[in-house]
Amino acid sequence: MFKLSKKVQALPPYLFLEIDKAKRKARGEGRDIIDLGIGDPDQPTPKFIIDCLSQAALDPANHRYTLDQGMPVLRNAIGDWYKRRFNVNLNPEAEVLPLIGSKEGIAHFPLAFLDPGDISLVPDPCYPPYKGGTILAGGAPYLMPLVAANSFLPDLKKIPLSARKKAKIIFINYPNNPTSACASDDFYTELIEFATKNKLIIISDLAYSEIAYDGYKPRSLLEFPGSREVVIEFHSLSKTYNMTGWRIGWACGNAQLVAALAKVKSNIDSGIFSAIQLAGVAALQGEQDYLKNMCVLYQQRRDILVQGLNVLGLNAVKPKATFYVWIKIPAQADAISFAARLLKEANIVVTPGVGFGQHGQGYIRMALTVSEARIKEALGRLKKIS
Ligand SMILES: *Cc1c(COP(=O)(O)O)cnc(C)c1O
């Protein structure tokens, strides 16, 4: 009866729908499903953060609208954290903006800079809001293939002049979801040169910087020379402190870009619940042992899963960061049918790579967010059907 806007009609189809439906149906039938599809930590938020929230929730001063730009105490804590973690100096007033989770900021940002006919350079495969945010802002995504032969980094030299001219934004996400690839220093240096030359804004999505293994420390793009002119970086407490449901993250970097996002958001939302902001301060300033232990836990799961998959003849490399394993499936298989078969025959849910974009075809993603025992059980089931 009502006609959807052209923008909403242009949004990509939700390719995980069929898998979601099949998963619900299987659970409904009482089947014992191992869900390796979900990118959501299985462990709880550390108790000291919950305690801080409980206390703060009792204080009526925290019950009212917050400032749109976030509480100064949180912006300062974010600035201090960037200094400690990356040795990057941020001005908390002008270069930091708390968000209701980084997803909303990433999806809203294109509204500030895209006009109809403008382009965003978007990796393929990618986290879906890069495409969705671009389309909802009236722009068009230009897809940059992420392929194994180029270490799942976009090949900037291959982006045609016509796309460079119309592009306003380039999205980058390392450590990467879904491929778990990491960026080299050389790539970041080349990227900043490319963006500067072509007058592009770089959106750096750094959601997984703290989930890393074997001593690897992912870097912030803001550590690199020239970055402050062109970069807005998004970060989140979701993966670092098991706080996906809390909705708290931030944007930081170039002051004009941060201010533009703040202006868009001031027309859309009214800030983060103060008690959650204070809990965010506690998370950033508290003991970081919990995080270290989480990485040890994921690393053990990673080693078991990747080794088991390799024994079964499935081609997967150990990720240096993120809690995803990106797995090449047999050449003749289609990712969606392969995932459907794993659900039907082994009661295992995985994410078909093609759900993140065409270049995810031929891959599936497994998440390390289930216990070691369940990973072993999943490997046993895979062995039976392979
Ligand atoms: C999980 C994730 C985020 C974080 O989202 P929040 O909205 O902060 O919970 C951002 N980017 C990527 C690629 C992710 O996988």
Side-chain angles (χ1 to χ4, degrees):
M1 177 166 55
F2 300 108
K3 193 157 158 273
L4 290 170
S5 69
K6 291 196 181 72
K7 289 172 193 166
V8 169
Q9 287 182 47
L11 289 173
Y14 183 60
L15 281 175
F16 307 130
L17 211 64
E18 287 304 311
I19 292 271
D20 279 354
K21 248 205 274 177
K23 177 168 87 180
R24 268 198 304 276
K25 183 161 166 280
R27 283 230 163 95
E29 290 163 0
R31 286 157 57 191
D32 175 28
I33 301 296
I34 301 177
D35 193 349
L36 300 171
I38 299 187
D40 193 346
D42 59 311
Q43 297 297 304
T45 308
K47 182 166 180 302
F48 73 91
I49 301 173
I50 301 172
D51 288 343
C52 178
L53 172 77
S54 317
Q55 279 304 313
L58 294 171
D59 182 352
N62 293 329
H63 296 170
R64 313 187 67 190
Y65 287 125
T66 56
L67 295 171
D68 292 334
Q69 313 92 307
M71 296 166 83
V73 62
L74 175 60
R75 295 204 309 266
N76 288 332
I78 292 167
D80 292 346
W81 186 83
Y82 250 73
K83 178 71 186 166
R84 279 200 307 280
R85 172 65 178 83
F86 300 116
N87 198 25
V88 166
N89 291 299
L90 293 167
N91 171 354
E93 267 176 46
E95 294 177 324
V96 174
L97 179 68
L99 300 169
I100 310 169
S102 60
K103 183 180 186 180
E104 65 94 351
I106 290 167
H108 284 138
F109 185 83
L111 289 169
F113 290 97
L114 294 189
D115 283 315
D118 289 343
I119 277 178
S120 291
L121 304 177
V122 175
D124 178 302
C126 76
Y127 182 54
Y130 308 158
K131 277 185 207 156
T134 296
I135 292 167
L136 289 173
Y142 174 89
L143 302 177
M144 306 180 289
L146 303 187
V147 297
N150 202 42
S151 312
F152 300 107
L153 299 168
D155 189 344
L156 302 175
K157 291 184 290 296
K158 284 202 179 139
I159 299 167
L161 199 63
S162 54
R164 289 182 202 197
K165 275 194 181 145
K166 287 196 222 157
K168 296 278 169 67
I169 295 171
I170 180 167
F171 287 89
I172 290 295
N173 164 224
Y174 294 101
N176 184 258
N177 174 14
T179 69
S180 73
C182 296
S184 60
D185 290 359
D186 285 350
F187 173 73
Y188 274 169
T189 304
E190 184 196 348
L191 173 67
I192 291 170
E193 269 173 32
F194 176 82
T196 307
K197 202 170 118 203
N198 292 289
K199 297 192 171 58
L200 292 177
I201 297 160
I202 304 175
I203 295 187
S204 164
D205 179 354
L206 198 60
Y208 294 96
S209 65
E210 306 315 298
I211 310 297
Y213 315 112
D214 311 322
Y216 174 60
K217 278 238 168 240
R219 297 184 70 182
S220 158
L221 190 52
L222 292 170
E223 292 177 44
F224 290 76
S227 59
R228 202 64 61 97
E229 317 303 319
V230 290
V231 173
I232 183 166
E233 192 155 75
F234 289 81
H235 198 69
S236 170
L237 300 187
S238 287
K239 312 294 161 53
T240 311
Y241 302 106
N242 303 337
M243 290 173 73
T244 47
W246 294 53
R247 312 314 302 136
I248 179 165
W250 69 83
C252 60
N254 178 277
Q256 189 208 344
L257 303 180
V258 167
L261 178 57
K263 185 167 183 180
V264 169
K265 278 172 52 64
S266 70
N267 286 281
I268 292 174
D269 67 70
S270 301
I272 313 162
F273 179 29
S274 303
I276 291 180
Q277 296 194 48
L278 294 169
V281 173
L284 291 170
Q285 293 181 339
E287 258 306 326
Q288 304 296 306
D289 285 1
Y290 195 92
L291 171 60
K292 273 193 213 115
N293 295 336
M294 283 306 307
C295 289
V296 170
L297 189 77
Y298 290 136
Q299 185 168 331
Q300 285 163 349
R301 293 172 178 177
R302 174 198 71 168
D303 293 347
I304 290 167
L305 179 63
V306 172
Q307 207 204 347
L309 290 171
N310 289 342
V311 167
L312 293 175
L314 281 167
N315 184 351
V317 285
K318 279 186 188 173
K320 279 196 296 180
T322 78
F323 44 55
Y324 303 113
V325 179
W326 188 238
I327 303 151
K328 186 125 188 58
I329 59 175
Q332 65 284 9
D334 154 81
I336 291 183
S337 345
F338 192 81
R341 182 173 160 230
L342 292 187
L343 178 57
K344 183 157 172 261
E345 295 177 21
N347 287 333
I348 294 171
V349 175
V350 301
T351 311
V354 68
F356 300 100
Q358 270 312 315
H359 287 85
Q361 185 58 279
Y363 290 88
I364 54 170
R365 191 194 73 178
M366 290 186 184
L368 300 169
T369 48
V370 303
S371 70
E372 219 174 282
R374 295 294 274 173
I375 288 176
K376 287 181 178 155
E377 164 75 20
L379 287 166
R381 292 184 192 178
L382 285 175
K383 187 165 180 206
K384 273 190 207 139
I385 68 159
S386 62

